[in-house]
Structure formats: C-alpha cells, structure tokens
Amino acid sequence: MDKKGRSVNGSKKTIGSSDVARLAGVSRSAVSRAFTPGAYISPETRQRVVEAAEMLNYSPNAIARSLSKKSSGLVGIIASNLDNPYYALMLSALSSALQAKGYGILLLIAELDDMDALIPKLLSYQVDGVILPAATLSSKMAVVLERSGRPVVLVNRYLQQDVVSSVSGDNYGGGTAVADLLVKGGHRRIAYMAGLDDTSSSRDRGQGLKDRLATHGIAIYAQEAGQYRHVDAVAAARRLLSMTPAPDAIFCANDIMAMAALEVAKVEYGLKVPAELAIVGYDNSDPASWPLHQLTSVDQHLEDMVKLSVEMLLRKLVSGDTTLEHLTVPASLVVRASTRQTG
Amino acid sequence: MDKKGRSVNGSKKTIGSSDVARLAGVSRSAVSRAFTPGAYISPETRQRVVEAAEMLNYSPNAIARSLSKKSSGLVGIIASNLDNPYYALMLSALSSALQAKGYGILLLIAELDDMDALIPKLLSYQVDGVILPAATLSSKMAVVLERSGRPVVLVNRYLQQDVVSSVSGDNYGGGTAVADLLVKGGHRRIAYMAGLDDTSSSRDRGQGLKDRLATHGIAIYAQEAGQYRHVDAVAAARRLLSMTPAPDAIFCANDIMAMAALEVAKVEYGLKVPAELAIVGYDNSDPASWPLHQLTSVDQHLEDMVKLSVEMLLRKLVSGDTTLEHLTVPASLVVRASTRQTG
DNA sequence: CTCTAACCTGCACGCGCGTTCACATTGCCA
DNA sequence: TGGCAATGTGAACGCGCGTGCAGGTTAGAG
C-alpha cells in the first residue's frame, strides 16, 4: 500500500457523504440532512440525495455519527450461561425490546474472561447504557460503571451494596407460594435444591420457602445445591433421595434441575410422582409444560421483567436521572401434574 | 443546554487523551502510544500515563479509534430463534470464539424486523465482518453484503446462488447415517419429520435419508413438517402416528421435535420405544442424553463448526481474500436407547 | 414594487483518536 | 569531544458526520 493507499484493495475506497453530495450536486450538509428526520430540506433535494445514495450504495456511518452526537445508540449486555435456555430466552427478549426502540446490542460473554475485564471494554465502545442479565458484578466494577455516568440495570440480581438499579422477579414470593402449595398438598419432608450459592435469586427462593414453612411450623428437611445445571442436579437429587426417610417433596431453584430430579426419581428410584414425591421447578420454561414432565413451576414473567428493564434503562437514558430504582415483578405458580393439590 | 454545553450534566465532561496527557505531563501522542502495543515509548512514560489514566477513569474511545483505523473491531451477528437452545448455544460459542480473538459482537435479532432491514443497520455500524447463524438471506441482501466488501460467513446454511461463504454440518451425511441405522434396526416404515421448509439443513437431512433408503430399496413412508418447534412437532407426530399402519421409525430434523414425538408416542399412543417405534433426533443436544429421553441423535459438532466459521471469517478479514469457500463438518451418530441396534 | 418572514443551503468547526513528520533529546562509539 | 544512530516529542492533519450560523432565495403581504 502506498502512502495514502486504502490498505489492500485500493479501489474499494469507502464512500462518504461527500461522494454522494458530489453526485447529487449538493453540499455535504444537505446529504446529512436528507438522512436526518425532521431537518430542513426540500423534498426535491432529499429525493436527489437518496437516489445518489442508492446508486453509490451509501449509508451514513453510524460510528462517525456517534462521535459528535456523543451517543452510540448501543446498549451493552454482558451475558453468561447461554447454555441455560432461560438465559438465552432472556437475552433474546432483551435484544428484541431494545431493537424495537432503535438501539443496537453490543454483546459480551462472561464465560472465560471475568466481568472485571469486560466492563471497561464495553465502556470503551461508548455504549449508552448497560444491562446485566444474571451476572455477578464486583463492587469495584460497580463503581467504575457508576463513575462512567452511564445507566445500568441489573436483571434478576441485586447487589448487597445498593449501587446499581435492578429489576427482579419476586423470588422470595415465589418461594413462599411453593411452600403454601406443598403444605396444602400434605407434604412435611420438604427439601430445597438450590442453584448457585452466590446468586441472590437462589438464596431468595430458598429463604421464601423456609420462612413460610416456618409459619406452618415446619422446618426445611434437607438442602442440596444443583448449580442450576442438569449434571449437578442429578447428583444432588441422588443425595436427597437416598436419605431415610426420603423427602416427599423437592423444590428446585430452576426447571432444569427439577427435570433432573424428576428423572432420578422415576428412573432410578421408581417413585410415583406426585403420589410419593412432589417436584416443583422454577421459570416455567417451555419443557415444563411438555407431556412427559408436566412440571409444576413458578412463572416469573420473563417478558414483563425484560420490558420493565428496558423501559427503566431508556428512561434513565433520556432523562439523565441517576437515582437508584428497584423493581420487583410478581411471580405466579403454575400447577401441573408433578404436585398434588390436596394431602 | 447552552451553545457549547455538554447536554444535561454539564459537569461530566467526557475525558479524552488530552486530559490524561496534561495530568501525566506528556503529549497526547504519548498517551496514544501508551495504549498502543508495540509503539515507541519508554516503560517509565507508559507507567506515568497509565497511572494518570486510572486516576481519571480514562479508557481510549474505541469509536473514535475505529474512525481513523477504518475498522471497528466489531463483528455483526444476526441471530434468530434463540428460544431454540441449539441456536442459543451456537450464539454463545460464536461470541466466545470471537471475543477470544479480541472482537466485539454487535447482535441483532431477526424475529420481528426482517433481515433486509437489519443488514444495512449492521453495515452502518462499520462491522468488520458478518456471521449469519441459521438465517435465511435474501439474494438482494447478499448482493448488498457483497458490495460492502466485508467478509460474510453463513453457518449451517447455504444459498442457492453461490455468493456467500459458508460452514455447514454434513446434513446430508447425517441423514444417510440415520438411514443406515434404521434399516439395520429392521425398520421399513420410516417417516421424516422436517424442520422449516426453506432451510437447507432440513432439506439436506431429509434428502440424505431418502437417498440412502432408496439404495436399500426402501421408499420414505411419510413426511410431515414440525417447523423445528415443539408445538408443531406434537401435531406432526399425531398425524404420523395416526396412520394405519403407523410408521415404525421417525427421524426428526432436530432434538426438540424428537422429544415431542417421543412424548406423543409414549403418553398418547402408549407405544414402546424403541420396540414399537424408533425415534432419532438431530443436534445431540443436552436433553437428548437425559435418562428420561435417551434419544439417539446426530451430533454435528457445533464447537467445530463455530471454530471453523470464526477462523474463516478472521482469515478473510486479515487477508482481504474474497474468494468463496464452503466447509463441511462431518456429523456423527450417537446411538442411545430410543433406537434398537438390530432388527 | 418593497419589505419581511419563512425557508433552504453551504461553510466551517468540532467530536477523540491514530498517524505522520520534522525536530529535540539521549546514548554510544570513535 | 564530535558526530551519528536510536529513541521520544509535539504540532498538524484526517477520519465522516452533525450542526450553529450566516447568507441566499422565494413568497406573500402591504
């Protein structure tokens, strides 16, 4: 490439507004205005510009635009555990909602790298806001985000230190509802299969269960952790079901673990569900309703959560309001054949 | 806001490299070099710059950088059907692979808006390349992409017109392997449950099955479309199983449909699997291996496909090579309890 | 016919950074 | 000590676009 060469393919010069302007016989500003809704420009001029643009295969450079506008039109999302369909669904819903509002999504995955390295990367791309679905945020990075002045919303998580806004399902309430259902069903040896220990969602679901059981004068019978994953849940279910006496009900912190428990109970222990063992999941995911599972589950209304998250973010975005907010979306029990109605 | 005002919060001026330079007592160029690997700068100077940068919470503006570099460091991905865990997994793998190479991901979802509107949006953000997992690309947009000069890779899809590079699983080969397995198992009334009609993956899997059956002197017994979705697959399975005589084997174009078929067969028709009916899925997804399903499935080695896709894209990216390539990743059969080994 | 208001258009500047180039500084060897 | 190479410095420019401002054009009112 020569001194001013365009790297490899010198012929493929990037076309800019000036090229369009020349072809249309107008100024560069006119081109800009032709692509800016609500700008002073005559229909004829716009027409000429648009035609020239199409001829040249031109579209405004969003990167350059965001430089002067000081707004990229991008929202950063740091996702993880996309192998869990629930989070995949959440990402999908988030993307759709943001896209409908005209925002693009800058996606980072927090599997290998840790969050602390990802946040600065996100910020360097000048994202207008950040949504963190199901992510554990270090307090250090929370401060960095805070200092960046960009709005941040945590979905279905919250932090001990109150530094970031959040939208969550009512995990505690979901736990209490399950407690009521199981007690009504006549169960007394009720076990809890937790998810990941360091997530507020798993803790709150368990706490809701325990607290409500306590008001019924019942203590939790056992607790194991299934890490929200099928393999670990299978092991956890085995530990629970090999107790003597075995629990007569298991509340699992998500559907995947519940289905694992269902399998272990039926296939390995030959138990009748729900006659001998009731199983309750969480998320009310699609497979929960499938005939083979018929799993009672807690629906936390993902769509609503996502909708509110995006609304909250956009509100902060346009208003510049930096006050913290915490929204809770009610959860509702969906009763199916994996639990019995009366004792 | 006043004439030169910083929109709403006037105090929060964005800090640039000049601010850092002033604090560190060096020139703007020195700051730039401190953040550019392999640039002439003494360790001491870099140290001072980095300290000043941290103090000011500064990080280089990737947007501004990409303006002059003519490369955004972003790869565009248009995804869809993230409610299907398989595609979610693919997205996750793609993201991780790209991220490991230092690229960011600009994600768009093609549910509501159609692709044709999304492609220009992607291009306006100056993405360095585009990866289209499981997307149907209109020929018009294929041309737009071609003219943009940016490398594009289609994953597990290809087009009739040979205009875009692709990496695919060996769908045809997967179909033939299933045919062999089923014939060996003594089945003669073999049905195919297709996915989406306009996808090459579904067509190729079916064609592989039919062609290989033909060499065994067997014609396909029936075919229904399940749209790759559980609900539609349940309906399709009912149509198939209510035939007289019913098929003695169903090959489904993905695992979700296979599980649906499994449910209908067991729950509604009380059939013994695999004694009375064999069922084969595709993708070898996680649930296929779960005890309750034990589903024979075709593994198309998603990880390999993704790895090759990203490698291909990056190769085109750095070399500027624009020749079309089509890679095929072999598929392998994973036999489980939903099929019998011998007739 | 003149004056003013309404409407367009083009100029010039700035956004934050990478890069280049001429120059200043240092280090090294003779 | 002189001179040359190696290395660091700072001013200037370009990247592509938005936009305030001033100038220009037109139409309608008086």
Side-chain angles (χ1 to χ4, degrees):
Chain A
M1 73 176 104
D2 68 35
K3 212 162 69 173
K4 281 205 166 286
R6 291 286 167 270
S7 69
V8 190
N9 38 6
S11 66
K12 286 250 178 184
K13 186 180 171 303
T14 46
I15 46 166
S17 58
S18 57
D19 301 285
V20 179
R22 197 176 316 120
L23 203 161
V26 296
S27 78
R28 240 170 28 78
S29 342
V31 177
S32 171
R33 280 192 270 268
F35 286 96
T36 306
Y40 274 154
I41 189 168
S42 67
E44 301 80 33
T45 308
R46 159 171 286 145
Q47 175 69 11
R48 276 225 312 281
V49 170
V50 168
E51 279 172 7
E54 277 190 359
M55 204 169 306
L56 265 52
N57 203 23
Y58 164 88
S59 70
N61 184 327
I63 294 285
R65 187 203 336 255
S66 62
L67 193 53
S68 50
K69 293 263 282 233
K70 287 186 172 302
S71 150
S72 60
L74 256 30
V75 170
I77 294 184
I78 300 186
S80 64
N81 298 101
L82 252 40
D83 51 327
N84 182 333
Y86 178 73
Y87 293 127
L89 221 52
M90 189 141 102
L91 174 62
S92 177
L94 277 171
S95 307
S96 296
L98 286 168
Q99 204 167 309
K101 298 289 186 180
Y103 282 87
I105 289 97
L106 189 53
L107 174 69
L108 294 181
I109 304 287
E111 312 273 350
L112 354 86
D113 319 87
D114 59 339
M115 289 273 287
D116 287 22
L118 259 35
I119 301 269
K121 179 164 184 176
L122 215 50
L123 293 180
S124 81
Y125 273 101
Q126 312 301 108
V127 292
D128 292 345
V130 177
I131 294 186
L132 300 176
T136 43
L137 182 64
S138 77
S139 53
K140 182 184 167 199
M141 282 307 118
V143 171
V144 171
L145 280 171
E146 162 69 21
R147 294 219 329 186
S148 77
R150 294 181 179 79
V152 182
V153 174
L154 240 51
V155 185
N156 220 6
R157 290 279 190 287
Y158 58 85
L159 301 177
Q160 299 298 356
Q161 332 88 291
D162 190 33
V163 285
V164 175
S165 293
S166 68
V167 175
S168 293
D170 186 4
N171 294 299
Y172 187 90
T176 63
V178 171
D180 286 340
L181 176 77
L182 292 177
V183 169
K184 202 181 79 180
H187 302 279
R188 291 300 176 269
R189 296 190 305 281
I190 298 171
Y192 178 55
M193 190 185 296
L196 290 164
D197 284 337
D198 61 343
T199 60
S200 57
S201 55
S202 172
R203 268 185 279 112
D204 291 353
R205 287 167 199 177
Q207 201 58 49
L209 176 75
K210 290 169 200 164
D211 288 358
R212 182 55 65 95
L213 284 183
T215 70
H216 288 292
I218 302 175
I220 192 87
Y221 183 68
Q223 171 159 349
E224 291 283 348
Q227 316 300 333
Y228 283 138
R229 293 190 318 203
H230 192 267
V231 277
D232 296 306
V234 165
R238 285 182 186 140
R239 288 196 297 274
L240 287 174
L241 293 178
S242 57
M243 295 172 69
T244 45
D248 60 3
I250 303 179
F251 171 35
C252 303
N254 77 355
D255 282 349
I256 298 213
M257 299 194 297
M259 289 186 284
L262 201 60
E263 288 168 13
V264 171
K266 283 186 180 177
V267 177
E268 299 185 14
Y269 288 80
L271 295 173
K272 303 271 183 226
V273 174
E276 298 170 300
L277 175 71
I279 293 180
V280 180
Y282 213 102
D283 291 345
N284 191 31
S285 57
D286 206 41
S289 70
W290 293 0
L292 230 45
H293 307 122
Q294 284 296 334
L295 189 65
T296 293
S297 187
V298 179
D299 191 332
Q300 47 183 336
H301 304 291
L302 183 64
E303 293 287 341
D304 292 345
M305 275 179 41
V306 165
K307 190 156 163 277
L308 287 172
S309 305
V310 172
E311 279 174 4
M312 181 185 285
L313 188 79
L314 295 188
R315 187 162 11 95
K316 290 176 183 298
L317 219 47
V318 299
S319 72
D321 181 15
T322 153
T323 58
L324 294 178
E325 298 176 72
H326 300 282
L327 255 51
T328 302
V329 179
S332 53
L333 206 51
V334 179
V335 180
R336 296 200 184 85
S338 73
T339 50
R340 50 185 202 250
Q341 290 280 37
T342 59
Chain B
M1 77 176 97
D2 67 36
K3 212 164 64 174
K4 282 208 165 282
R6 292 285 169 269
S7 70
V8 190
N9 37 6
S11 65
K12 286 250 179 185
K13 186 182 171 303
T14 47
I15 46 167
S17 57
S18 56
D19 301 285
V20 178
R22 198 176 318 119
L23 202 159
V26 297
S27 76
R28 229 167 41 75
S29 341
V31 176
S32 170
R33 277 192 273 270
F35 286 97
T36 306
Y40 276 156
I41 189 169
S42 68
E44 300 79 34
T45 309
R46 159 170 287 144
Q47 175 69 10
R48 277 224 311 283
V49 171
V50 168
E51 279 173 6
E54 277 190 0
M55 205 167 305
L56 265 51
N57 203 22
Y58 164 88
S59 69
N61 185 328
I63 295 285
R65 191 208 323 265
S66 61
L67 194 52
S68 51
K69 292 266 280 253
K70 287 183 172 306
S71 150
S72 60
L74 256 29
V75 170
I77 295 183
I78 300 186
S80 64
N81 298 100
L82 253 40
D83 51 327
N84 182 332
Y86 178 74
Y87 294 127
L89 221 52
M90 188 143 102
L91 174 62
S92 177
L94 278 171
S95 307
S96 296
L98 286 168
Q99 203 167 310
K101 297 289 186 181
Y103 283 87
I105 290 99
L106 189 54
L107 174 69
L108 293 181
I109 303 288
E111 312 274 350
L112 354 85
D113 319 87
D114 60 339
M115 289 273 288
D116 287 21
L118 260 34
I119 301 270
K121 178 163 183 176
L122 215 50
L123 292 179
S124 81
Y125 272 102
Q126 311 301 109
V127 293
D128 293 345
V130 177
I131 294 186
L132 300 175
T136 44
L137 182 63
S138 78
S139 53
K140 182 185 167 198
M141 282 305 118
V143 171
V144 171
L145 280 171
E146 162 69 21
R147 295 221 327 186
S148 78
R150 294 180 178 81
V152 183
V153 174
L154 240 50
V155 185
N156 221 5
R157 288 280 190 286
Y158 58 84
L159 301 177
Q160 301 297 358
Q161 334 88 292
D162 189 34
V163 284
V164 176
S165 293
S166 67
V167 175
S168 292
D170 185 4
N171 294 300
Y172 187 88
T176 63
V178 170
D180 286 340
L181 176 76
L182 292 177
V183 170
K184 202 180 80 181
H187 301 279
R188 291 301 176 268
R189 297 190 306 280
I190 298 172
Y192 178 55
M193 190 185 295
L196 290 166
D197 284 336
D198 61 345
T199 60
S200 57
S201 55
S202 174
R203 267 184 280 111
D204 291 353
R205 287 166 200 177
Q207 201 58 48
L209 176 75
K210 289 170 202 165
D211 288 357
R212 182 55 63 95
L213 285 183
T215 70
H216 289 291
I218 302 176
I220 192 84
Y221 183 67
Q223 170 159 350
E224 291 283 348
Q227 315 300 332
Y228 283 139
R229 292 190 319 202
H230 191 268
V231 275
D232 296 306
V234 165
R238 285 182 187 138
R239 287 195 297 274
L240 287 174
L241 293 178
S242 57
M243 294 172 70
T244 43
D248 59 4
I250 304 179
F251 171 35
C252 303
N254 76 355
D255 282 349
I256 297 211
M257 297 195 298
M259 290 186 282
L262 201 60
E263 288 168 12
V264 172
K266 284 186 179 177
V267 177
E268 299 185 14
Y269 288 80
L271 296 173
K272 303 272 182 225
V273 174
E276 298 171 298
L277 176 71
I279 293 180
V280 180
Y282 213 103
D283 291 345
N284 191 30
S285 57
D286 206 42
S289 69
W290 293 359
L292 230 45
H293 306 122
Q294 284 298 333
L295 188 66
T296 293
S297 188
V298 179
D299 192 333
Q300 48 182 337
H301 304 292
L302 182 65
E303 294 286 341
D304 292 344
M305 275 179 42
V306 165
K307 190 157 164 276
L308 287 172
S309 305
V310 171
E311 279 173 5
M312 181 187 284
L313 188 80
L314 295 188
R315 186 162 14 92
K316 290 176 182 299
L317 218 48
V318 300
S319 73
D321 180 17
T322 154
T323 58
L324 294 177
E325 299 176 70
H326 299 283
L327 256 50
T328 301
V329 180
S332 52
L333 204 52
V334 179
V335 180
R336 297 202 183 83
S338 73
T339 51
R340 51 184 201 250
Q341 289 281 37
T342 60

